[in-house]
Amino acid sequence: MHLHILGICGTFMGGLALIARAAGHKVTGCDAGVYPPMSTQLSEQGIELIEGFGADQLALAPDLFVIGNVVSRGNPLMEAILDSGARYVSGPQWLGDHVLPGQHVLAVAGTHGKTTTSSMLAWILEANGRRPNFLIGGIAPDLQVSARFDPQVDTFVIEADEYDTAFFDKRSKFVHYRPRTAILNNLEYDHADIFPDLAAIETQFHHLVRTIPASGRIVAPAGNEALDRVLARGCWSETVSFGTDGAWRAGPADADGAFAVLRDGQDIGTVRWTLGGEHNRMNALAALAAAEHAGVPAADGIAALSRFGGVKRRMELRGTVNGVKVYDDFAHHPTAIATTLDGLRRQVGQARILAVLEPRSNTMKLGTMAERLPGALQQADLVYCFGAKQGKQALGWDPGMVLAPLGQRASSFDDLDALVAAVSSAARPGDHVVVMSNGGFGGVHGKLLHALAR
């Protein structure tokens, strides 16, 4: 079957393209601004990429058009598809209909930590000889790629996003995955561009819970009010809790980051790694409980996590110049920003932290959570916020006014070069510069390292 994928350079759709190719299909695709690293991965697999969404691509005459959620009405190729009566389907539905049946699907959902927890879970299975299939929104160095599929393997780890499926299917992506094991990592308000309130997101999570069989397992944190409400609406599967009051708990981390894992009060082993932060310990507990449901004993899971190398763009050290460390982190929601900075503060003690922030997600650009930013940035000694005045990344609010409670610690910029100059001028040996964005941020990491070297 020939599939032509619209929006192919997105993480999910690009991963889906690699899976479709591995499943034996001919795959082509298009996107606006065909860009690496996904374009490189796809080209290496012999997948033809076309720049833009021209209506002339209808002449490719694929058996099926697979539509990503970046495509909306008015897109010229989509309009041509609709006019012609050609067959089309969303990416999540195609995956759910053609790849996931017959698989033990382990889905990782939640507002935060999906990519890291999915990577931990896939690595536990990989390290224990299971060679799982997976589709994850990032790349863990241990796994090397973001997506993999072998039809002979019957285990599939997937990052289960609550964002909507397509312009013609406003359900969350994860309702198409039909998991047997589901991690519900956490839940709070996000995606203000498609959800009016938290209750609307809870309804989508309830739809997900309804698809999990009685023989399945739901792994959820103890005491998360939103998830408690979701499960109270109906739950037909085994539930396993983690966290401070959960069945799975984490002991305090030592100076190197190692921590004991406790199940029902019993110490069952120690994860010896260098990853920092309470959030990573919680992610680890969830991954261990899910892997156990897939047949990996807890002790073997703990041993695997002790060899886990982290995930790109999750406090990834990009370089050290003249004693200044520059990190890249995906944090873009106030809770994630606060968690990232808290974890770094615990690692570096009294050393200065310079936070460089790009509020790039639709929720942050709308300003829905802007008022929470000063509190989220409290652990930073200096704050630099970037917001374009025009174009796709323009903010609907004034960073200077929003960050005013931080006083002289905070500065805002609408020119990237000016921001780089300000950060490199203020930085001194021993500082930690953490760049937080869910996008490329104009290559600011490299620009900072270059400026610091000068």
Side-chain angles (χ1 to χ4, degrees):
M1 178 179 284
H2 176 193
L3 308 178
H4 189 60
I5 299 178
L6 281 67
I8 195 169
C9 282
T11 303
F12 175 83
M13 297 301 284
L16 184 145
L18 295 171
I19 287 170
R21 173 81 173 185
H25 300 289
K26 176 183 178 182
V27 179
T28 56
C30 62
D31 212 326
V34 173
Y35 49 91
M38 186 57 73
S39 61
T40 304
Q41 283 192 65
L42 297 171
S43 296
E44 289 173 350
Q45 294 297 316
I47 296 174
E48 179 187 352
L49 305 178
I50 300 173
E51 172 65 37
F53 296 96
D56 58 341
Q57 294 175 49
L58 200 65
L60 294 170
D63 299 288
L64 187 66
F65 288 96
V66 184
I67 314 300
N69 66 1
V70 298
V71 176
S72 58
R73 288 303 304 264
N75 178 292
L77 178 53
M78 192 68 235
E79 293 300 317
I81 292 168
L82 293 171
D83 284 338
S84 71
R87 294 178 61 213
Y88 66 92
V89 69
S90 72
Q93 184 174 343
W94 183 86
L95 189 71
D97 288 347
H98 297 278
V99 174
L100 299 182
Q103 297 277 313
H104 180 147
V105 177
L106 298 99
V108 180
T111 309
H112 313 294
K114 291 186 292 294
T115 298
T116 300
T117 308
S118 299
S119 298
M120 288 180 181
L121 178 53
W123 171 244
I124 291 171
L125 296 168
E126 175 79 4
N128 283 280
R130 298 290 293 275
R131 292 285 301 166
N133 299 316
F134 55 83
L135 177 51
I136 301 172
I139 299 176
D142 307 292
L143 299 170
Q144 299 182 334
V145 292
S146 62
R148 184 173 74 193
F149 182 65
D150 179 351
Q152 303 303 312
V153 175
D154 64 0
T155 305
F156 200 113
V157 176
I158 187 164
E159 182 174 329
D161 189 0
E162 72 272 24
Y163 210 80
D164 62 354
T165 297
F167 76 87
F168 50 87
D169 183 353
K170 306 314 286 184
R171 296 172 296 171
S172 290
K173 291 177 182 176
F174 56 41
V175 301
H176 294 284
Y177 301 156
R178 310 284 177 86
R180 180 165 297 277
T181 308
I183 294 174
L184 310 182
N185 231 3
N186 41 63
L187 181 55
E188 62 176 306
Y189 187 53
D190 197 5
H191 307 308
D193 52 323
I194 60 172
F195 293 117
D197 50 35
L198 178 58
I201 308 177
E202 290 176 12
T203 295
Q204 294 295 323
F205 273 73
H206 174 61
H207 294 333
L208 173 63
V209 169
R210 281 182 169 272
T211 67
I212 302 169
S215 60
R217 172 180 287 189
I218 296 173
V219 180
N224 184 288
E225 293 182 2
L227 288 174
D228 287 346
R229 288 193 295 268
V230 168
L231 296 175
R233 293 172 71 170
C235 181
W236 299 265
S237 314
E238 175 197 21
T239 59
V240 174
S241 62
F242 68 93
T244 304
D245 297 318
W248 292 70
R249 303 183 188 183
D254 66 17
D256 296 321
F259 66 95
V261 176
L262 296 90
R263 184 174 57 191
D264 298 324
Q266 299 295 314
D267 187 332
I268 58 174
T270 299
V271 174
R272 302 186 184 282
W273 63 7
T274 58
L275 273 66
E278 177 71 9
H279 60 297
N280 275 324
R281 292 193 287 280
M282 294 303 101
N283 293 339
L285 295 179
L288 288 167
E292 182 187 60
H293 190 238
V296 177
D300 295 338
I302 290 169
L305 283 181
S306 295
R307 305 194 302 276
F308 181 68
V311 180
K312 286 184 178 296
R313 304 211 63 202
R314 272 63 178 179
M315 282 308 296
E316 178 185 3
L317 180 63
R318 294 290 294 269
T320 304
V321 176
N322 295 325
V324 179
K325 294 181 182 293
V326 177
Y327 305 86
D328 182 17
D329 196 84
F330 195 72
H332 56 280
H333 182 286
T335 298
I337 291 168
T339 299
T340 292
L341 293 177
D342 180 69
L344 182 58
R345 174 59 68 200
R346 291 172 186 271
Q347 285 185 341
V348 305
Q350 297 301 310
R352 291 203 315 169
I353 296 175
L354 282 62
V356 182
L357 173 68
E358 180 190 34
R360 182 181 178 276
S361 71
N362 289 330
T363 298
M364 292 305 295
K365 284 189 295 183
L366 288 170
T368 308
M369 298 185 183
E371 64 182 17
R372 292 178 54 187
L373 281 176
L377 291 160
Q378 282 298 326
Q379 293 281 13
D381 295 279
L382 295 174
V383 174
Y384 303 84
C385 183
F386 176 76
K389 287 188 175 180
Q390 297 180 340
K392 290 179 65 176
Q393 296 310 320
L395 298 179
W397 46 278
D398 182 349
M401 292 182 61
V402 168
L403 298 177
L406 295 175
Q408 297 300 311
R409 293 160 55 195
S411 306
S412 60
F413 299 83
D414 59 19
D415 180 90
L416 192 59
D417 290 336
L419 180 149
V420 169
V423 175
S424 60
S425 176
R428 59 192 189 220
D431 284 353
H432 299 261
V433 180
V434 55
V435 178
M436 295 177 284
S437 170
N438 69 338
F441 203 163
V444 70
H445 319 82
K447 293 178 178 180
L448 280 170
L449 290 168
H450 181 72
L452 289 166
R454 292 204 307 268

